Amino acid sequence: MTAAAATTTAGTATRGAGFPCNDCIQKCAQVAAAVVRGDLGMRINCGNPVCHQSDLIVSINEMVDKLFNFTEEVIQVAAQGVEGKLGVQANMSDEHGIWKEFISHLNTMMVGHSLQVRDIASVCTAVAHGDLSQKIKVDVKGETLVLKNTFNTMVDQLRSFSSEVTRVAHEVGTEGRLGGQAQVKGVAGTWKELTDNVNTMAANLTAQVRDIASVSKAVAKGDLSKKISVEVKGEMMDLKNTINTMVDQLQEFATEVSRVSLEVGTEGKLGGQAHVKDVSGTWKELTDNVNLMASNLTGQVRDIATVCKAVACGDMTKKVSVPVQGEILELKETMNTMVVQLRTFAAEVTRVAFEVGTEGKLGGQAQVEGVDGTWKELTDNVNTMAANLTAQVRDIASVSKAVAKGDLSKKISVEVKGEMMDLKHTINIMVDQLQEFATEVSRVSLEVGTEGKLGGQAVVKDVSGTWKELTDNVNTMASNLTTQVRSIAEVTTAVACGDLSKTIDVEAQGEISELKLTVNSMVEQLRTFAAEVTRVAREVGTEGRLGGQAVVKDVNGTWKELTDNVNTMAANLTAQVRSIAEVTTAVACGDLSKTIEVEAQGEISELKLTVNMMVAQLRTFAAEVTRVAREVGTEGKLGGQAHVKGVDGTWKELTDNVNTMAANLTAQVRDIASVSKAVAKGDLSKKISVEVQGEMMDLKHTINTMVDQLQEFATEVSRVSLEVGTEGKLGGQAVVEDVSGTWKELTDNVNTMASNLTTQVRSIAEVTTAVACGDLSKTIDVQAQGEISELKLTVNSMVEQLRTFAAEVTRVAREVGTE
């Protein structure tokens, strides 16, 4: 507002209805004429107090001030619209009549245009990023509706194409289902060509793989007569040649193996070898294995034949010594066992024959273990012969054998005389003492070893010598064992009850000493482990001292694992708590750049995600509030709103409060604007009708003419705004005749904005229509700025990516399916 306007406004409160002087009336006519020409820089200034307080002078000055502000707003909105800045609003609140309607239409057009362009940009960005789930949903009409339908059709076709190509790729490449074809209806141009290329690739790949599968199945069934005959190129040609070469090598390998098998297994020709030329890898390894098998079998059979010949010639010194495995190993062991048994049998028969027949030693028996059949029968015959010769001492041998086997119920009952009688009495007495000794030892062993009754002692009367020494040794053993076991039991019972203060201090030797040391070492390690775990648990869980570690020296196995697990738990808890504390401390200090990055699981992982989500929401909230505060409080951009997605509770309430404040501030600032009384109310249907003469008649005609032009200007701008911003009719132009200055500039700006918008939207529609039809050669080349420029870049980037994608798919389809 100019200084003159401020002066005029300041005097409004005290002005009267005085009639202005002639100079002021002439100036009124000049100001009105200037307004008609579009010059809003003139004001009526007069030193006469009456003129200064005149309603006419004050109203005209206020009207010019408000017209000036109005034109500034419209020029600003139009200029920002030309620059591509979306969402700009004309800030002319507290208006009435046609001005309010005009501003409303203009703002509605800008809002509609902003919503449409942003929705299109959002979908284009999604398509450029490979997201084909979004569509343009904003309500539009006219050519913009055609653009919306075209774009959505293009997205549907892209999604259908992507879905079909993905399905075919999944069936052929992952599930192995050959023969699949992509079905994309209603496409033409590049999209049809891409679909055909993918289908050609799939068909060629199906034919090639099926031919390879046919040959592979034949090979698996042992039929080596088939080869791959399908026409292929590139790497598939290498695969074809490789498999055909493999079949040739398999055929040669099978022939050689069959020959060697026939010679060795049927004709008995040992030493044969398979000869397969020009093979490597597994085939060479298989050939070498067959030759190794033939070579080993030759060595084994020849070694067995050598031993059999030696046995047949009575030579029992030789054995099968060749290294063997499996059933050949069993045959080797059987042959060697047979040789050993024959050698043992011969030695035993020779010994018994010598003892009984030459030395006269009675009771001799041939002992040949593990023999059956003829060998057992021969052994029994020899023993029968020896038994007949030793019939007199058989009873003594029977009792002795019973004693040797632990059977003390038998005694010698045969009728004997002389020294044999003494032998009979001596052996019977020995049996009685052994029986008593065995009974006592068994009782003590049962009590100590089975029933767990410690402290038992064996009592054997009237024994001496070795029997008494044996009895004393058994009792000493039982006593020592009782003391040692009771000491070990006392310590282990204390450990089980949580008492780690006791150790085994009884005297012990051998394995019992080792057990004593082991148990004492275990108790000491348990005591150290318990103390360390208790200390770490108290520091971390009670005192809040993070970073503690349990130190248990010289432990292994489970105790080391337990110590490591406790230390790992403490270290992880320390890292997690410190990371959470660092982030929450940063948030408390206003630093929202940090997040929790430490590895975590379970509830700690949920806490990590919750804190990180909170920080992200706080960061978004702070950024949005800062932006709105800067736009409204510093840049003067009214109508701004904070957008914080996915928040609830206090954050949503804070966001709503900030937006309410910004909206109220916008409404208040816009409500401040005013124009002259008649024009300020937006009532352009009124004209000056009072009867006047002279210069006042000129002023009347000038003002009435100005009102007519304002009315025509407002009507035209409203019509263009309605057509472009609401009905989607592009190409409209405001036609206001006989205007100049600011009014002509305003009309030109509105027409320039409408023309630019028409050119931009039609260019976008042309490109998206071409894309939908499969023509990827076109790009948006119209001049644009701001968000329109970003939309242009997004659409062009999308087309470029689609063109690259189409070229790559065509290339891959050609390489894989044709070449």
Side-chain angles (χ1 to χ4, degrees), residues 280-459:
S280 59
T282 301
W283 306 124
K284 186 176 186 303
E285 185 178 353
L286 280 173
T287 305
D288 293 341
N289 289 338
V290 169
N291 288 335
L292 179 61
M293 176 194 71
S295 175
N296 289 342
L297 188 59
T298 297
Q300 295 161 3
V301 172
R302 287 175 176 170
D303 193 26
I304 293 171
T306 300
V307 173
C308 291
K309 288 179 181 179
V311 171
C313 296
D315 181 3
M316 306 291 179
T317 61
K318 293 186 177 181
K319 288 186 179 182
V320 180
S321 58
V322 66
V324 292
Q325 293 178 348
E327 293 188 36
I328 299 295
L329 176 60
E330 294 178 3
L331 175 60
K332 170 185 174 180
E333 292 174 348
T334 302
M335 288 290 298
N336 289 339
T337 301
M338 180 192 73
V339 172
V340 170
Q341 289 177 339
L342 284 174
R343 186 162 56 238
T344 302
F345 174 75
E348 282 295 295
V349 170
T350 301
R351 178 184 64 79
V352 171
F354 182 73
E355 289 179 352
V356 175
T358 303
E359 298 179 350
K361 294 181 180 178
L362 301 177
Q365 290 284 287
Q367 303 291 332
V368 184
E369 297 179 356
V371 293
D372 291 303
T374 301
W375 306 122
K376 187 175 185 303
E377 185 178 353
L378 283 173
T379 305
D380 292 341
N381 290 336
V382 171
N383 287 334
T384 300
M385 176 191 69
N388 290 335
L389 293 176
T390 60
Q392 296 86 6
V393 297
R394 191 54 133 171
D395 196 25
I396 296 172
S398 175
V399 174
S400 299
K401 287 181 182 180
V403 171
K405 294 178 180 179
D407 181 5
L408 302 176
S409 63
K410 293 183 178 181
K411 290 186 179 182
I412 300 174
S413 58
V414 67
E415 292 294 331
V416 292
K417 294 180 182 180
E419 292 185 20
M420 291 300 293
M421 178 65 76
D422 295 334
L423 177 60
K424 171 184 176 181
H425 289 304
T426 301
I427 290 176
N428 286 341
I429 291 170
M430 179 194 72
V431 170
D432 290 335
Q433 289 177 337
L434 281 175
Q435 194 170 33
E436 184 179 1
F437 174 75
T439 300
E440 281 298 295
V441 171
S442 297
R443 179 183 61 80
V444 173
S445 299
L446 180 66
E447 290 178 354
V448 175
T450 303
E451 299 175 357
K453 295 179 181 178
L454 301 177
Q457 293 283 281
V459 181

Side-chain angles (χ1 to χ4, degrees), residues 178-179 200-214 228 230-232 236 817:
L178 302 177
T200 300
M201 176 191 69
N204 290 343
L205 187 60
T206 296
Q208 296 161 3
V209 171
R210 283 177 174 167
D211 194 24
I212 293 172
S214 174
I228 300 173
V230 67
E231 291 293 330
V232 292
M236 292 300 290

